[in-house]
Amino acid sequence: MSDGNKTTPPRAAGGGNPACGTIQPCQNNNCWPDDYDKEISVQAYGRYMRKYAADGTTEITLTVTRSFKIYAPVKTGTEISVEVRFSVEMDGVELTDEDVARAKTNLETAASTWNNKFTLVANDPQCPSKTLKIVFKPVWVDSGQHYTFKVHTTYARPGLTGPVMDVSGSTTAWQYAHEFGHCFGLPDEYSYSPTDAQQVKYIKPDGTLDAAISAPPGGKSRTAADATIMSAIGNTTRLPRHAWAVAIEVQELLKQKLGRDVKCSILFTPAYIKSNVGNDWGP
């Protein structure tokens, strides 16, 4: 059929439009039809990572439950949002409201250093791919928390133990950022043995194990070539593996909602230039 210089392709049998092709249908043909979200509460060990003795074969089994929420606005948005909900508990009669407010601000600031680092690419075999930045958001609640944010007057070793994050006035910016990484599934990239080295192997979104990461007792030097925020005090280097847990969960969510095999991968955002010494706290 022709209307002046404009030609409209004939309708295919069954009402389809042959201009869309048989492999990649048009955008309105079930491509990214909705926005999705998902509450996550999983055993992170065996889902996001595995740990081994120095020989690389003897597995060290851990129990690591992690909880967070993912928003995947693949229809209308440009960002994957990782939300971690915290309720606040005060431990110490000397604590003031100002102390707690300062601790909350410290966590919010540290969580923001995870932003502008990663993009998630979702490849649907039937549709154009979607590329979305990943942002991380601590949210303060009175109930329904993923973790309790416990503020102490003093605390010898701040950290995340089970569903409780313990902090104090002396908790550093790096400690806040490192511990926040644990909240969405990242492991320590160092050995829990005081004397024996171990290995960490991350699980990729395709289900295979990544190459082994050396995990020495006490962690690595901040300036080591392979040091990251999860392995060395003061180092803030992030790598794509640090967002694979997000890709794993978004991939599973999209497969469930769309009913087909969507593949997700992680790239650096163009804005993130990794420092050679891992001391880049900027965007």
Side-chain angles (χ1 to χ4, degrees):
M1 295 182 289
S2 177
D3 180 13
N5 293 323
K6 182 179 179 181
T7 301
T8 302
R11 303 300 290 178
N17 187 339
C20 299
T22 58
I23 302 299
Q24 183 166 299
C26 290
Q27 273 285 81
N28 62 2
N29 189 9
N30 202 33
C31 282
W32 313 117
D34 207 348
D35 298 332
Y36 307 109
D37 61 79
K38 179 183 181 182
E39 283 284 352
I40 311 296
S41 182
V42 297
Q43 169 58 247
Y45 188 87
R47 184 171 180 83
Y48 304 147
M49 55 78 70
R50 295 185 182 277
K51 207 160 193 177
Y52 298 84
D55 61 13
T57 59
T58 304
E59 189 165 358
I60 301 168
T61 304
L62 305 171
T63 300
V64 186
T65 301
R66 294 293 181 249
S67 302
F68 51 99
K69 186 172 185 178
I70 283 180
Y71 293 91
V74 291
K75 179 181 179 180
T76 64
T78 60
E79 296 179 340
I80 297 289
S81 179
V82 179
E83 176 186 284
V84 184
R85 297 191 301 272
F86 295 92
S87 64
V88 178
E89 182 178 326
M90 298 171 64
D91 181 37
V93 294
E94 302 90 350
L95 285 171
T96 66
D97 291 341
E98 289 75 16
D99 294 327
V100 173
R102 188 178 305 110
K104 290 168 67 176
T105 298
N106 288 341
L107 179 63
E108 291 166 0
T109 300
S112 72
T113 68
W114 285 93
N115 296 341
N116 300 314
K117 304 293 188 292
F118 308 110
T119 57
L120 181 144
V121 181
N123 289 301
D124 183 334
Q126 298 184 23
C127 299
S129 64
K130 297 286 288 190
T131 300
L132 304 99
K133 290 193 300 182
I134 302 176
V135 298
F136 299 85
K137 300 178 180 179
V139 176
W140 305 103
V141 297
D142 294 325
S143 61
Q145 70 275 9
H146 297 121
Y147 303 97
T148 298
F149 185 69
K150 195 168 185 177
V151 184
H152 304 262
T153 306
T154 60
Y155 203 78
R157 187 182 174 95
L160 185 69
T161 305
V164 179
M165 182 184 290
D166 294 289
V167 301
S168 72
S170 62
T171 302
T172 68
W174 178 85
Q175 288 171 323
Y176 274 109
H178 174 95
E179 299 306 327
F180 186 78
H182 286 319
C183 292
F184 57 89
L186 299 187
D188 286 313
E189 295 175 7
Y190 57 80
S191 174
Y192 293 149
S193 166
T195 57
D196 299 324
Q198 296 175 348
Q199 293 184 2
V200 175
K201 296 181 183 180
Y202 279 77
I203 298 173
K204 299 178 182 180
D206 66 6
T208 62
L209 284 174
D210 195 27
I213 301 163
S214 64
K220 298 173 181 176
S221 164
R222 183 179 68 85
T223 57
D226 61 345
T228 75
I229 190 170
M230 303 311 295
S231 68
I233 294 173
N235 188 293
T236 60
T237 299
R238 278 83 161 178
L239 296 173
R241 66 176 182 250
H242 295 140
W244 283 348
V246 179
I248 287 168
E249 298 303 344
V250 173
Q251 179 173 270
E252 183 177 280
L253 173 63
L254 294 179
K255 286 181 181 179
Q256 176 189 3
K257 295 296 185 179
L258 298 175
R260 51 184 179 262
D261 194 25
V262 178
K263 303 288 188 182
C264 290
S265 59
I266 299 294
L267 303 173
F268 284 132
T269 60
Y272 180 44
I273 301 174
K274 181 166 63 70
S275 164
N276 288 332
V277 295
N279 60 3
D280 172 22
W281 283 87

